[in-house]
mmCIF file of all heavy atoms in Angstrom:
data_model
loop_
_atom_site.group_PDB
_atom_site.id
_atom_site.type_symbol
_atom_site.label_atom_id
_atom_site.label_comp_id
_atom_site.label_asym_id
_atom_site.label_seq_id
_atom_site.Cartn_x
_atom_site.Cartn_y
_atom_site.Cartn_z
ATOM 1 N N SER A 7 -46.058 -238.629 -37.204
ATOM 2 C CA SER A 7 -46.455 -238.410 -38.596
ATOM 3 C C SER A 7 -45.628 -237.264 -39.165
ATOM 4 O O SER A 7 -44.859 -236.609 -38.457
ATOM 5 C CB SER A 7 -47.936 -238.066 -38.676
ATOM 6 O OG SER A 7 -48.165 -236.790 -38.063
ATOM 7 N N LEU A 8 -45.805 -236.982 -40.451
ATOM 8 C CA LEU A 8 -45.078 -235.878 -41.075
ATOM 9 C C LEU A 8 -45.463 -234.554 -40.430
ATOM 10 O O LEU A 8 -44.596 -233.728 -40.125
ATOM 11 C CB LEU A 8 -45.364 -235.844 -42.584
ATOM 12 C CG LEU A 8 -44.661 -234.741 -43.380
ATOM 13 C CD1 LEU A 8 -43.152 -234.827 -43.211
ATOM 14 C CD2 LEU A 8 -45.040 -234.827 -44.858
ATOM 15 N N VAL A 9 -46.755 -234.341 -40.200
ATOM 16 C CA VAL A 9 -47.209 -233.091 -39.569
ATOM 17 C C VAL A 9 -46.639 -232.975 -38.160
ATOM 18 O O VAL A 9 -46.150 -231.911 -37.754
ATOM 19 C CB VAL A 9 -48.748 -233.038 -39.535
ATOM 20 C CG1 VAL A 9 -49.226 -231.856 -38.698
ATOM 21 C CG2 VAL A 9 -49.315 -232.943 -40.950
ATOM 22 N N GLN A 10 -46.669 -234.065 -37.407
ATOM 23 C CA GLN A 10 -46.125 -234.047 -36.048
ATOM 24 C C GLN A 10 -44.616 -233.816 -36.062
ATOM 25 O O GLN A 10 -44.079 -233.103 -35.212
ATOM 26 C CB GLN A 10 -46.453 -235.365 -35.345
ATOM 27 C CG GLN A 10 -47.922 -235.540 -35.025
ATOM 28 C CD GLN A 10 -48.232 -236.924 -34.471
ATOM 29 O OE1 GLN A 10 -47.560 -237.902 -34.802
ATOM 30 N NE2 GLN A 10 -49.248 -237.012 -33.633
ATOM 31 N N SER A 11 -43.929 -234.401 -37.028
ATOM 32 C CA SER A 11 -42.480 -234.243 -37.120
ATOM 33 C C SER A 11 -42.108 -232.787 -37.395
ATOM 34 O O SER A 11 -41.118 -232.275 -36.853
ATOM 35 C CB SER A 11 -41.916 -235.143 -38.217
ATOM 36 O OG SER A 11 -42.144 -236.501 -37.923
ATOM 37 N N ARG A 12 -42.880 -232.137 -38.239
ATOM 38 C CA ARG A 12 -42.621 -230.710 -38.507
ATOM 39 C C ARG A 12 -42.839 -229.880 -37.252
ATOM 40 O O ARG A 12 -42.110 -228.920 -36.995
ATOM 41 C CB ARG A 12 -43.531 -230.236 -39.644
ATOM 42 C CG ARG A 12 -43.115 -230.762 -41.012
ATOM 43 C CD ARG A 12 -44.138 -230.465 -42.086
ATOM 44 N NE ARG A 12 -43.674 -230.903 -43.400
ATOM 45 C CZ ARG A 12 -44.467 -231.096 -44.446
ATOM 46 N NH1 ARG A 12 -45.776 -230.888 -44.329
ATOM 47 N NH2 ARG A 12 -43.961 -231.504 -45.598
ATOM 48 N N ARG A 13 -43.840 -230.254 -36.466
ATOM 49 C CA ARG A 13 -44.088 -229.553 -35.207
ATOM 50 C C ARG A 13 -42.919 -229.755 -34.244
ATOM 51 O O ARG A 13 -42.469 -228.818 -33.581
ATOM 52 C CB ARG A 13 -45.389 -230.077 -34.585
ATOM 53 C CG ARG A 13 -45.979 -229.176 -33.498
ATOM 54 C CD ARG A 13 -47.183 -229.827 -32.853
ATOM 55 N NE ARG A 13 -48.094 -230.427 -33.840
ATOM 56 C CZ ARG A 13 -49.031 -231.319 -33.538
ATOM 57 N NH1 ARG A 13 -49.150 -231.749 -32.273
ATOM 58 N NH2 ARG A 13 -49.814 -231.807 -34.472
ATOM 59 N N LEU A 14 -42.416 -230.978 -34.177
ATOM 60 C CA LEU A 14 -41.275 -231.268 -33.300
ATOM 61 C C LEU A 14 -40.032 -230.508 -33.744
ATOM 62 O O LEU A 14 -39.262 -230.014 -32.915
ATOM 63 C CB LEU A 14 -40.999 -232.774 -33.304
ATOM 64 C CG LEU A 14 -42.051 -233.656 -32.648
ATOM 65 C CD1 LEU A 14 -41.660 -235.130 -32.777
ATOM 66 C CD2 LEU A 14 -42.214 -233.297 -31.175
ATOM 67 N N LYS A 15 -39.823 -230.424 -35.043
ATOM 68 C CA LYS A 15 -38.678 -229.679 -35.582
ATOM 69 C C LYS A 15 -38.737 -228.223 -35.126
ATOM 70 O O LYS A 15 -37.743 -227.670 -34.639
ATOM 71 C CB LYS A 15 -38.696 -229.764 -37.112
ATOM 72 C CG LYS A 15 -37.761 -228.799 -37.826
ATOM 73 C CD LYS A 15 -37.990 -228.834 -39.338
ATOM 74 C CE LYS A 15 -37.236 -227.757 -40.072
ATOM 75 N NZ LYS A 15 -37.487 -227.796 -41.539
ATOM 76 N N GLU A 16 -39.907 -227.595 -35.271
ATOM 77 C CA GLU A 16 -40.064 -226.193 -34.892
ATOM 78 C C GLU A 16 -39.852 -226.000 -33.391
ATOM 79 O O GLU A 16 -39.169 -225.051 -32.973
ATOM 80 C CB GLU A 16 -41.463 -225.692 -35.291
ATOM 81 C CG GLU A 16 -41.683 -225.629 -36.801
ATOM 82 C CD GLU A 16 -43.125 -225.337 -37.158
ATOM 83 O OE1 GLU A 16 -43.960 -225.213 -36.230
ATOM 84 O OE2 GLU A 16 -43.431 -225.254 -38.372
ATOM 85 N N MET A 17 -40.403 -226.900 -32.583
ATOM 86 C CA MET A 17 -40.279 -226.763 -31.140
ATOM 87 C C MET A 17 -38.847 -227.007 -30.679
ATOM 88 O O MET A 17 -38.354 -226.350 -29.764
ATOM 89 C CB MET A 17 -41.243 -227.723 -30.438
ATOM 90 C CG MET A 17 -42.705 -227.405 -30.685
ATOM 91 S SD MET A 17 -43.841 -228.511 -29.802
ATOM 92 C CE MET A 17 -43.603 -227.927 -28.115
ATOM 93 N N SER A 18 -38.166 -227.950 -31.327
ATOM 94 C CA SER A 18 -36.771 -228.218 -30.981
ATOM 95 C C SER A 18 -35.904 -227.008 -31.304
ATOM 96 O O SER A 18 -35.058 -226.599 -30.504
ATOM 97 C CB SER A 18 -36.260 -229.444 -31.737
ATOM 98 O OG SER A 18 -34.894 -229.694 -31.451
ATOM 99 N N GLN A 19 -36.129 -226.411 -32.471
ATOM 100 C CA GLN A 19 -35.319 -225.272 -32.888
ATOM 101 C C GLN A 19 -35.606 -224.021 -32.046
ATOM 102 O O GLN A 19 -34.721 -223.185 -31.858
ATOM 103 C CB GLN A 19 -35.555 -224.979 -34.369
ATOM 104 C CG GLN A 19 -35.012 -226.068 -35.296
ATOM 105 C CD GLN A 19 -35.268 -225.782 -36.766
ATOM 106 O OE1 GLN A 19 -36.235 -225.114 -37.119
ATOM 107 N NE2 GLN A 19 -34.402 -226.285 -37.628
ATOM 108 N N SER A 20 -36.844 -223.918 -31.528
ATOM 109 C CA SER A 20 -37.190 -222.759 -30.701
ATOM 110 C C SER A 20 -36.881 -222.992 -29.218
ATOM 111 O O SER A 20 -37.020 -222.080 -28.406
ATOM 112 C CB SER A 20 -38.678 -222.427 -30.861
ATOM 113 O OG SER A 20 -39.489 -223.486 -30.363
ATOM 114 N N GLY A 21 -36.509 -224.226 -28.878
ATOM 115 C CA GLY A 21 -36.170 -224.536 -27.488
ATOM 116 C C GLY A 21 -37.359 -224.738 -26.584
ATOM 117 O O GLY A 21 -37.230 -224.675 -25.356
ATOM 118 N N THR A 22 -38.544 -224.984 -27.154
ATOM 119 C CA THR A 22 -39.763 -225.127 -26.347
ATOM 120 C C THR A 22 -40.184 -226.587 -26.164
ATOM 121 O O THR A 22 -41.198 -226.861 -25.517
ATOM 122 C CB THR A 22 -40.924 -224.354 -26.998
ATOM 123 O OG1 THR A 22 -41.132 -224.843 -28.333
ATOM 124 C CG2 THR A 22 -40.617 -222.863 -27.048
ATOM 125 N N LEU A 23 -39.433 -227.523 -26.729
ATOM 126 C CA LEU A 23 -39.823 -228.935 -26.658
ATOM 127 C C LEU A 23 -39.555 -229.507 -25.274
ATOM 128 O O LEU A 23 -38.518 -229.226 -24.658
ATOM 129 C CB LEU A 23 -39.047 -229.740 -27.704
ATOM 130 C CG LEU A 23 -39.420 -231.220 -27.842
ATOM 131 C CD1 LEU A 23 -40.860 -231.368 -28.318
ATOM 132 C CD2 LEU A 23 -38.470 -231.912 -28.809
ATOM 133 N N THR A 24 -40.498 -230.302 -24.764
ATOM 134 C CA THR A 24 -40.331 -230.984 -23.483
ATOM 135 C C THR A 24 -40.592 -232.472 -23.657
ATOM 136 O O THR A 24 -41.280 -232.886 -24.595
ATOM 137 C CB THR A 24 -41.310 -230.438 -22.422
ATOM 138 O OG1 THR A 24 -42.657 -230.742 -22.834
ATOM 139 C CG2 THR A 24 -41.141 -228.942 -22.244
ATOM 140 N N GLU A 25 -40.062 -233.278 -22.755
ATOM 141 C CA GLU A 25 -40.284 -234.722 -22.814
ATOM 142 C C GLU A 25 -41.766 -235.048 -22.609
ATOM 143 O O GLU A 25 -42.299 -235.975 -23.212
ATOM 144 C CB GLU A 25 -39.415 -235.424 -21.775
ATOM 145 C CG GLU A 25 -37.928 -235.374 -22.091
ATOM 146 C CD GLU A 25 -37.081 -236.067 -21.055
ATOM 147 O OE1 GLU A 25 -36.923 -237.307 -21.145
ATOM 148 O OE2 GLU A 25 -36.579 -235.380 -20.152
ATOM 149 N N HIS A 26 -42.424 -234.286 -21.732
ATOM 150 C CA HIS A 26 -43.842 -234.516 -21.484
ATOM 151 C C HIS A 26 -44.658 -234.296 -22.762
ATOM 152 O O HIS A 26 -45.555 -235.081 -23.079
ATOM 153 C CB HIS A 26 -44.350 -233.583 -20.381
ATOM 154 C CG HIS A 26 -45.834 -233.685 -20.147
ATOM 155 N ND1 HIS A 26 -46.413 -234.775 -19.517
ATOM 156 C CD2 HIS A 26 -46.861 -232.843 -20.486
ATOM 157 C CE1 HIS A 26 -47.723 -234.608 -19.467
ATOM 158 N NE2 HIS A 26 -48.023 -233.446 -20.049
ATOM 159 N N TYR A 27 -44.313 -233.235 -23.509
ATOM 160 C CA TYR A 27 -45.041 -232.968 -24.751
ATOM 161 C C TYR A 27 -44.806 -234.089 -25.759
ATOM 162 O O TYR A 27 -45.730 -234.484 -26.480
ATOM 163 C CB TYR A 27 -44.615 -231.627 -25.350
ATOM 164 C CG TYR A 27 -45.329 -231.337 -26.650
ATOM 165 C CD1 TYR A 27 -46.633 -230.852 -26.651
ATOM 166 C CD2 TYR A 27 -44.723 -231.603 -27.881
ATOM 167 C CE1 TYR A 27 -47.311 -230.620 -27.840
ATOM 168 C CE2 TYR A 27 -45.401 -231.373 -29.073
ATOM 169 C CZ TYR A 27 -46.690 -230.889 -29.053
ATOM 170 O OH TYR A 27 -47.362 -230.670 -30.222
ATOM 171 N N LEU A 28 -43.584 -234.607 -25.816
ATOM 172 C CA LEU A 28 -43.281 -235.706 -26.732
ATOM 173 C C LEU A 28 -44.186 -236.898 -26.449
ATOM 174 O O LEU A 28 -44.714 -237.523 -27.367
ATOM 175 C CB LEU A 28 -41.813 -236.123 -26.584
ATOM 176 C CG LEU A 28 -40.790 -235.413 -27.457
ATOM 177 C CD1 LEU A 28 -39.382 -235.825 -27.053
ATOM 178 C CD2 LEU A 28 -41.026 -235.724 -28.922
ATOM 179 N N HIS A 29 -44.338 -237.210 -25.156
ATOM 180 C CA HIS A 29 -45.190 -238.355 -24.787
ATOM 181 C C HIS A 29 -46.638 -238.102 -25.194
ATOM 182 O O HIS A 29 -47.297 -238.988 -25.743
ATOM 183 C CB HIS A 29 -45.097 -238.605 -23.284
ATOM 184 C CG HIS A 29 -45.886 -239.800 -22.839
ATOM 185 N ND1 HIS A 29 -45.430 -241.097 -22.989
ATOM 186 C CD2 HIS A 29 -47.119 -239.897 -22.264
ATOM 187 C CE1 HIS A 29 -46.330 -241.939 -22.531
ATOM 188 N NE2 HIS A 29 -47.368 -241.238 -22.090
ATOM 189 N N THR A 30 -47.110 -236.885 -24.944
ATOM 190 C CA THR A 30 -48.490 -236.540 -25.307
ATOM 191 C C THR A 30 -48.698 -236.638 -26.810
ATOM 192 O O THR A 30 -49.699 -237.182 -27.285
ATOM 193 C CB THR A 30 -48.820 -235.104 -24.836
ATOM 194 O OG1 THR A 30 -48.640 -235.019 -23.421
ATOM 195 C CG2 THR A 30 -50.253 -234.737 -25.201
ATOM 196 N N LEU A 31 -47.734 -236.141 -27.574
ATOM 197 C CA LEU A 31 -47.858 -236.147 -29.035
ATOM 198 C C LEU A 31 -47.868 -237.572 -29.585
ATOM 199 O O LEU A 31 -48.663 -237.897 -30.470
ATOM 200 C CB LEU A 31 -46.711 -235.349 -29.649
ATOM 201 C CG LEU A 31 -46.675 -235.284 -31.177
ATOM 202 C CD1 LEU A 31 -46.362 -233.873 -31.652
ATOM 203 C CD2 LEU A 31 -45.621 -236.247 -31.731
ATOM 204 N N LEU A 32 -47.004 -238.431 -29.065
ATOM 205 C CA LEU A 32 -46.902 -239.791 -29.607
ATOM 206 C C LEU A 32 -48.074 -240.675 -29.203
ATOM 207 O O LEU A 32 -48.287 -241.729 -29.810
ATOM 208 C CB LEU A 32 -45.584 -240.437 -29.174
ATOM 209 C CG LEU A 32 -44.327 -239.888 -29.853
ATOM 210 C CD1 LEU A 32 -43.081 -240.538 -29.287
ATOM 211 C CD2 LEU A 32 -44.390 -240.120 -31.356
ATOM 212 N N THR A 33 -48.828 -240.268 -28.214
ATOM 213 C CA THR A 33 -50.001 -241.051 -27.822
ATOM 214 C C THR A 33 -51.271 -240.509 -28.461
ATOM 215 O O THR A 33 -52.362 -241.027 -28.222
ATOM 216 C CB THR A 33 -50.164 -241.070 -26.290
ATOM 217 O OG1 THR A 33 -50.135 -239.729 -25.772
ATOM 218 C CG2 THR A 33 -49.048 -241.878 -25.643
ATOM 219 N N GLU A 34 -51.134 -239.438 -29.277
ATOM 220 C CA GLU A 34 -52.283 -238.955 -30.050
ATOM 221 C C GLU A 34 -52.682 -240.013 -31.070
ATOM 222 O O GLU A 34 -51.834 -240.719 -31.603
ATOM 223 C CB GLU A 34 -51.926 -237.670 -30.825
ATOM 224 C CG GLU A 34 -51.802 -236.429 -29.992
ATOM 225 C CD GLU A 34 -51.452 -235.211 -30.837
ATOM 226 O OE1 GLU A 34 -51.291 -235.382 -32.062
ATOM 227 O OE2 GLU A 34 -51.337 -234.110 -30.294
#
């Protein structure tokens, strides 16, 4: 979603994004 995409943008730019988190977020 838009809210989730903004969260992903912030995590990607801060270097904290993980593949596991991506899976968890998309199954919300």
Side-chain angles (χ1 to χ4, degrees):
S7 67
L8 180 57
V9 171
Q10 291 174 330
S11 297
R12 287 171 176 162
R13 197 185 315 163
L14 292 178
K15 167 188 172 181
E16 293 171 358
M17 295 182 72
S18 178
Q19 292 179 332
S20 65
T22 58
L23 185 64
T24 65
E25 291 180 84
H26 175 73
Y27 179 79
L28 271 173
H29 183 79
T30 301
L31 179 137
L32 288 176
T33 52
E34 286 180 359

